[in-house]
Every structure is written in C-alpha cells, then in structure tokens.
Amino acid sequence: MAAGALPTPDDGWARVLLQAGVVAGLWAIATFLIAAAALPQMDPQCFSDSPTGGRVCPLQRDPVLTHLFDVRWPAVPEAVTVSGVLLTMLLGIGLAFFLDTSEPWSERGGAPTAAGIVSGLLGGGLGLLVAGPGFVHPLIALGVTALGALLALLGSLALRAFLRALRRRYAGHLRREQLREHGTRTVSRITSLDWQYTHPDDDSVFTLTAEFDTRDGRRSVTEELCVPRRDAPVLGGTVIVVHDDDAAHATGIDALLALDPDGLRDPDALEKYPEAPEPSPS
C-alpha cells in the first residue's frame, strides 16, 4: 500500500460507510425536527394552532433563501414531535457510540474513537442547513442556517483530523510489522525503568531505556514494554530490542521492546507495582 493511503477497515469499507451514513442521517433528522418544531415558537410571525397544539406561520412568501417552507410549518402535535426527536437522537447517539467502540481498524493499527461524533456533526449540520431557510423571520432563518454551516465546518475539520490520525496510526502499524518480520533482535541492558500503569488484565506498562552495540557504535532506545506484572523487569536487567538501521524513522518508532526470556525479574513486582483500579459501578 502506498504511503499515506487509508487502511481498509477489517470488515471492508461498505460496512463502515453504511454505519456512518446511518448515524449522519439520524442526526440530520433529529436536528431538523428540533429546529422545525421548537424554533418557530420563538418566531413572532407565527401563532398557535389550538386544535392541533402546533405552531403555524402565516401564508406569506419566505424572504430568505430558498422558500423551501413558504406555505407553513407543519402543525404537528407536540407529543409526536418530541417522540420523533427523542427516537432519532437516541438511535443516532447509540449508533455513533457503537461505531466508535467497534474498532473497524483494530487489525490495522486502530483508529481514534471519533468516527461516530464526526458523522453526527456532519449530519447535524446538514439538518440545520435544510431547516434554516424555511423560517419566516429573516434573523432566525439566517441564525439556524449559520449554525448548520458551523456544524458542517466543524464536522469537515474533524473528519480531516480523523483521517490524518488514521493514516498515522496505520503507518505506525506497518512500521511495527516491518520490525517484527525483518528487524534484528539484540539482548540489551536496561538503563532506565519507569512504571506507567497497569491494565485490568494485570499487564503493566513500563517505559524503558535500553542500550546495545551496533556496527555504528553504541545505541540507546526508549520505548514502552507491556508485560504481566509478575514478570516486571529490573533496572540493570535485560530486554530484547528489535531494531534496524533506521534510527530516525518518520513514524517515530525506531525499535520495539520484548521481554527477555532469560532476563532478570523483579521478585517484589507484585508488591511494588499496583494493580489496576477497580472499575466504578455503572
């Protein structure tokens, strides 16, 4: 794959694009309903339609933009409107959360958990852009339309940042795969050791600095190492460094660390390094 290209999702593009499209569509419907049902009540040119409980705007030409809703705002009972808004918003938020947690690129370096919110922003902006020009009052129409344009702009910028991060993580994934398949494995001495945190499965993450000799002289690398807490290394012990001749790779990944099966272990690791905190009750 060419450098900078987007990685294919684990289950293919069709599945991810369908989920993102559904999220965007639901957010668009929800924001449109909110604008069309709630904001006309603040329009001084609208009046109550008591038999149905809705708000109706005069049958006059819309002075703003497209005349999309020249005739009237639909006189829909409030309960129906609220139900529609709640249903679409809950579904949209739920599917956005699912899209973020389903990790469509988990086998290719992972992705930032933002696909759902990016889709929602774009959909919400679209919904307001459609709703805005239908208001009779020019200031309200322009305000809703401007808010829709702002959401659409934020969604576009967020999408750009998401794709950039996705490419960067994929480049890192390819770099790690390259090192695992073709790198040189060297037993190296640990010169610095810092515990970071412990996962719920009792694996601890350390930041290590290790030194080793190469044909160009002595080299030092600092990377993270994740090992079971009971197998924590010690300062002055050894780890396996997987490296190549590129000491300044564009991804920032110059080497990988692996546990040395013959290296020293910290006999006090279980007492020295804390367990992962208990998850808070939901």
Side-chain angles (χ1 to χ4, degrees), residues 82-198:
V82 171
S83 298
V85 169
L86 290 178
L87 180 62
T88 52
M89 280 302 296
L90 289 176
L91 283 175
I93 293 172
L95 287 177
F97 179 78
F98 172 78
L99 180 59
D100 286 341
T101 57
S102 62
E103 301 185 29
W105 288 272
S106 60
E107 298 178 6
R108 290 165 174 80
T113 55
I117 189 61
V118 169
S119 303
L121 282 174
L122 291 172
L126 176 61
L128 293 181
L129 283 172
V130 173
F135 284 95
V136 173
H137 196 285
L139 290 180
I140 295 180
L142 290 175
V144 174
T145 304
L147 181 58
L150 177 61
L151 286 181
L153 176 61
L154 291 176
S156 299
L157 294 176
L159 177 61
R160 181 182 178 186
F162 175 85
L163 296 178
R164 186 187 301 118
L166 187 61
R167 292 188 181 96
R168 183 169 59 250
R169 293 190 184 202
Y170 186 51
H173 169 71
L174 293 180
R175 170 62 172 164
R176 294 184 184 93
E177 289 296 306
Q178 177 190 22
L179 287 172
R180 291 188 184 103
E181 294 178 7
H182 306 292
T184 301
R185 288 165 170 77
T186 304
V187 177
S188 309
R189 180 174 173 270
I190 300 172
T191 59
S192 174
L193 173 66
D194 292 310
W195 173 84
Q196 299 298 323
Y197 56 89
T198 301

Side-chain angles (χ1 to χ4, degrees), residues 187-193 208-211 232-240 260 262-266:
V187 177
S188 309
R189 180 174 173 270
I190 300 172
T191 59
S192 174
L193 173 66
L208 301 181
T209 298
E211 292 184 351
V234 294
L235 189 65
T238 56
V239 289
I240 303 295
D260 181 5
D262 299 322
L264 297 176
R265 302 289 186 270
D266 190 338

